[in-house]
Amino acid sequence: MGLTITEKILRDHSNEKNASAGDFILANIDKCLANDITAPIAINVFKEIIEGTDRDVFDKKKIILTPDHFAPNKDVASAEQCKVLREFAHEYNIENYFEQGRVGIEHCLIPEKGLALPGEVFIGADSHTCTYGALGAFSTGVGSTDLGVAMALGKCWFKIPQSIKFIYSGRMKEHVSGKDLILHTIGQIGVDGATYKAMEFTGEIIDHLSMASRFTMCNMAIEAGGKNGIIPPDRITEAYLNEKHKVNYKKYISDKDADYFDIIEFECSDLEPQVSLPHLPENAKPISEVDAMRIEIDQSVIGSCTNGRLEDLRVVAKILKGKKIAPKVRCILIPGTPEIYLDALKEGLIEIFLNAGAIVSTPTCGPCLGGFMGILAAGERAISTTNRNFVGRMGHVKSEVYLSGPAIAAASAIKGYITSPDYI
Amino acid sequence: MKGKVIKYDQNNINTDLIIPARYLVNSEPKFLAEHCMEDLDPEFNQKIREMHLSIMVGGSNFGSGSSREQAPLAIKTAGIKCVLAPSFARIFFRNAINIGLPILEFADLKEVNTGDELEINFEEGKILNLTLNKEFIIKQMPAFLHKIISSEGLIKYARKQVLNN
Ligand code: SF4
């Protein structure tokens, strides 16, 4: 019996040369990541482990620290958290500590910096670490205890997951992106539809899908309960990596006779842009239905580790160009990293946003987790390109978040209710 | 190990039932243990103490819900030495192992009842119901997970590794 890409990567990172799905392994990790919320606890765990010894971190190059959630420091408490990261990074000469101003939203920043590569085992104390599966890595979220141990030993234990293969066929309509594919998928299988499983995305649509859309899809694997999302590396992955970094990596692909827990096919030629209604990502509906509901919005948030990339901003700029944000709507645009921000500036996108009456924020998680920079009041409604629409996620427990891709969020910002650029 | 069973014949015993969110303001393990399972069985702690029960048996998808590490911690501190269920939620499983609470997949729920005495052999993957005199083969606990458990958790396990080389 053949193996899936996920099985192969994990097996090759352990001493169990015959391991496959269902087996437990202790894996050598290639990179580990924590942010201003999770690193302080992990750092305590690390210090408890090495106390009284002259032990160092397992590898100064392989630990990544990103103060991105409540940064630039939103208050005294967050300033203290960020300070813990900074001091630890300097004490241990952590190479990949990103100071504010150079940091971006972690899951946008890390691929951009070439810090996640095909074939790697990547763990992060953040549930959306599954994003880097888009590059053909095994990448997953863990707890702070796991991360503290990883910083000391460079190892993490796993049960090798079974995989579900998703096959996307047909031709996507205009304004349909990776976000719509994944919202539709979660809508079909539910928020626990892939619990514990690897979600392997394949098919002719994936073969032609941009890296930005691939990141978006893998990013939301966790919203279906998945352990990891993964797309076997191909020429699109290679082109992306070659453009940015000349690096070596190992490419894995699934065997033809690999054993899958399930195989699910979606024919996407008729797929419309999707909107997930409150309060679960699985409440996905086609835009034609949602448009008919005339759902008025107070805010449109475009950014986050799901949709804060240059491609997303370009889509938005095309729709906002020469238009005005609806009088009672706040439209907040958050480029994912300083580099994306700068590229958007050079391309004239930022000017388009500001002329339309939008707010352009420095890269941060901000409103995505109800942190700051765009909190909702009671009764307010937002359309958002983020990944979670749980109760109170963006502010007051009586506020509402609707999830969509950038095209819908931009069109809705102009109209004041949830709609599609196709209807403007 | 040997111990007597406390059984809840119910699927999806989630982390809110194990330790309700209203108690998360205090992370003291003893405090958490006092409120363990209280919404499902207010006499959980009393039964454990009076009947000397130490092996918890539950239905499938045990520990679903939030990622709170307090859930396995409350169970462990209450005096439970092992949890058996047909299946566990992913993060609960991780957290239980990481804090040194052995948990094992065991499907024959009908074959154990509250008060039964079990003998569990982790290395060989065997469970013996001494009360019914029946033996069950389960999946062996992988050697290093067993090492984590016998070190009383991942932090102590890692500390040992560090001190040994
Ligand atoms: S943008 Fe949102 S989902 Fe992504 S890492 Fe930040 S808080 Fe988490």
Side-chain angles (χ1 to χ4, degrees):
Chain A
M1 184 61 82
L3 296 173
T4 65
I5 173 172
T6 298
E7 288 175 303
K8 288 184 192 180
I9 296 173
L10 284 170
R11 173 194 275 193
D12 276 9
H13 281 75
S14 81
N15 292 328
E16 321 288 323
K17 291 304 163 215
N18 293 314
S20 60
D23 290 331
F24 288 87
I25 56 156
L26 191 59
N28 294 312
I29 56 156
D30 293 299
K31 307 278 168 45
C32 65
L33 158 78
N35 56 47
D36 49 317
I37 295 180
T38 55
I41 310 170
I43 289 169
N44 280 341
V45 169
F46 168 76
K47 290 192 169 159
E48 193 179 332
I49 293 168
I50 61 142
E51 199 197 323
T53 72
D54 55 3
R55 277 286 281 242
D56 204 341
V57 293
F58 87 105
D59 193 323
K60 296 173 189 309
K61 289 191 174 66
K62 296 183 174 174
I63 295 171
I64 305 165
L65 297 173
T66 51
D68 60 348
H69 277 61
F70 295 138
N73 306 349
K74 98 175 170 93
D75 53 19
V76 174
S78 55
E80 297 289 347
Q81 300 260 81
C82 291
K83 191 169 160 216
V84 174
L85 269 68
R86 182 177 305 115
E87 289 181 348
F88 177 78
H90 290 139
E91 186 182 345
Y92 286 91
N93 292 312
I94 303 299
E95 278 188 24
N96 291 304
Y97 163 69
F98 293 91
E99 190 51 88
Q100 296 172 31
R102 282 133 277 171
V103 77
I105 298 171
E106 53 203 81
H107 309 307
C108 295
L109 182 79
I110 284 164
E112 180 185 290
K113 296 288 179 195
L115 290 171
L117 295 171
E120 288 190 338
V121 170
F122 195 121
I123 61 167
D126 186 279
S127 60
H128 293 101
T129 304
C130 49
T131 309
Y132 321 131
L135 290 163
F138 172 82
S139 197
T140 192
V142 296
S144 286
T145 300
D146 287 307
L147 201 90
V149 170
M151 290 201 292
L153 301 181
K155 291 183 196 294
C156 189
W157 65 270
F158 299 103
K159 184 176 179 183
I160 302 180
Q162 288 182 302
S163 296
I164 301 176
K165 180 156 136 176
F166 293 87
I167 305 172
Y168 300 87
S169 62
R171 283 193 65 171
M172 290 200 298
K173 289 185 178 165
E174 210 200 342
H175 299 126
V176 173
S177 69
K179 182 62 164 283
D180 305 297
L181 295 175
I182 192 68
L183 290 180
H184 177 65
T185 303
I186 298 166
Q188 294 298 308
I189 68 171
V191 291
D192 58 356
T195 295
Y196 195 69
K197 303 291 187 291
M199 298 174 78
E200 190 175 321
F201 303 117
T202 68
E204 57 181 326
I205 285 187
I206 305 295
D207 291 343
H208 298 98
L209 202 63
S210 70
M211 275 314 300
S213 268
R214 291 179 179 193
F215 284 125
T216 305
M217 290 188 76
C218 289
N219 174 272
M220 290 194 71
I222 180 72
E223 307 315 331
K227 178 167 191 159
N228 64 308
I230 197 159
I231 296 175
D234 59 9
R235 55 190 174 76
I236 290 178
T237 329
E238 263 169 55
Y240 173 88
L241 289 166
N242 284 341
E243 190 191 320
K244 295 194 176 270
H245 315 277
K246 294 266 174 272
V247 282
N248 291 321
Y249 48 82
K250 192 163 175 193
K251 277 197 302 182
Y252 293 86
I253 52 167
S254 297
D255 292 327
K256 287 222 161 53
D257 59 344
D259 190 19
Y260 288 94
F261 175 78
D262 201 357
I263 296 176
I264 300 174
E265 284 196 64
F266 294 114
E267 213 293 320
C268 302
S269 301
D270 293 328
L271 186 74
E272 294 179 36
Q274 302 284 304
V275 176
S276 285
L277 274 44
H279 290 284
L280 282 177
E282 71 183 20
N283 298 335
K285 300 254 180 301
I287 188 62
S288 56
E289 247 177 69
V290 181
D291 176 78
M293 294 159 79
R294 283 290 184 273
I295 301 167
E296 290 189 14
I297 54 159
D298 303 281
Q299 181 161 295
S300 170
V301 174
I302 300 165
S304 85
C305 60
T306 316
N307 282 113
R309 300 183 178 82
L310 189 61
E311 178 182 305
D312 301 314
L313 300 183
R314 284 180 182 147
V315 167
V316 174
K318 231 174 143 182
I319 296 165
L320 291 189
K321 190 167 186 180
K323 300 266 180 14
K324 293 282 176 210
I325 305 296
K328 62 178 266 290
V329 173
R330 313 176 299 264
C331 179
I332 305 176
L333 279 135
I334 311 175
T337 68
E339 189 179 310
I340 295 168
Y341 199 132
L342 195 59
D343 287 343
L345 190 70
K346 285 184 197 150
E347 288 186 17
L349 311 186
I350 303 289
E351 202 178 324
I352 293 173
F353 301 152
L354 291 174
N355 280 335
I359 298 155
V360 183
S361 161
T362 193
T364 178
C365 292
C368 172
L369 78 163
F372 66 142
M373 301 287 295
I375 303 301
L376 299 174
E380 287 193 326
R381 242 181 244 135
I383 182 92
S384 176
T385 68
T386 54
N387 48 40
R388 285 185 177 147
N389 55 352
F390 301 159
V391 173
R393 174 79 177 176
M394 201 175 275
H396 197 281
V397 287
K398 293 221 169 85
S399 61
E400 291 182 343
V401 177
Y402 293 70
L403 303 176
S404 76
I408 297 300
S412 307
I414 298 171
K415 282 294 178 187
Y417 59 86
I418 301 177
T419 190
S420 162
D422 293 329
Y423 307 144
I424 304 185
Chain B
M1 65 152 293
K2 259 192 205 174
K4 282 195 198 162
V5 168
I6 179 162
K7 177 174 163 183
Y8 295 97
D9 202 352
Q10 170 178 340
N11 294 342
N12 304 310
I13 296 178
N14 65 45
T15 51
D16 276 308
L17 290 175
I18 297 169
I19 181 73
R22 60 183 179 274
Y23 297 120
L24 297 179
V25 286
N26 185 336
S27 57
E28 181 54 44
K30 285 228 170 71
F31 170 83
L32 296 171
E34 273 166 38
H35 297 287
C36 187
M37 301 294 287
E38 90 179 10
D39 289 355
L40 186 67
D41 178 9
E43 283 155 22
F44 175 75
N45 273 289
Q46 197 189 337
K47 284 182 192 158
I48 290 183
R49 271 194 297 268
E50 288 174 3
M51 297 167 69
H52 305 285
L53 310 177
S54 62
I55 297 173
M56 194 164 166
V57 178
S60 61
N61 199 23
F62 192 98
S64 52
S66 86
S67 66
R68 65 189 69 147
E69 211 163 294
Q70 288 93 332
L73 190 63
I75 292 176
K76 189 184 175 197
T77 312
I80 297 296
K81 304 233 152 37
C82 181
V83 184
L84 305 177
S87 66
F88 295 92
R90 174 186 167 232
I91 301 185
F92 180 86
F93 188 89
R94 260 201 111 70
N95 288 342
I97 299 290
N98 285 352
I99 64 150
L101 174 67
I103 70 179
L104 293 172
E105 286 178 11
F106 175 71
D108 295 314
L109 285 189
K110 287 201 190 74
E111 305 285 358
V112 294
N113 287 300
T114 296
D116 284 1
E117 185 165 32
L118 304 187
E119 186 175 317
I120 302 176
N121 187 323
F122 294 106
E123 283 106 301
E124 291 178 19
K126 277 188 192 153
I127 295 182
L128 189 62
N129 186 332
L130 297 167
T131 309
L132 299 179
N133 198 17
K134 272 193 182 169
E135 193 178 66
F136 306 93
I137 307 292
I138 52 164
K139 211 171 175 187
Q140 282 162 276
M141 180 172 274
F144 75 84
L145 282 199
H146 191 245
K147 260 189 238 160
I148 297 174
I149 295 283
S150 50
S151 310
E152 287 170 55
L154 190 62
I155 297 180
K156 286 194 180 142
Y157 166 83
R159 171 122 182 109
K160 251 191 233 163
Q161 302 266 314
V162 164
L163 294 178
N164 287 345
N165 53 59

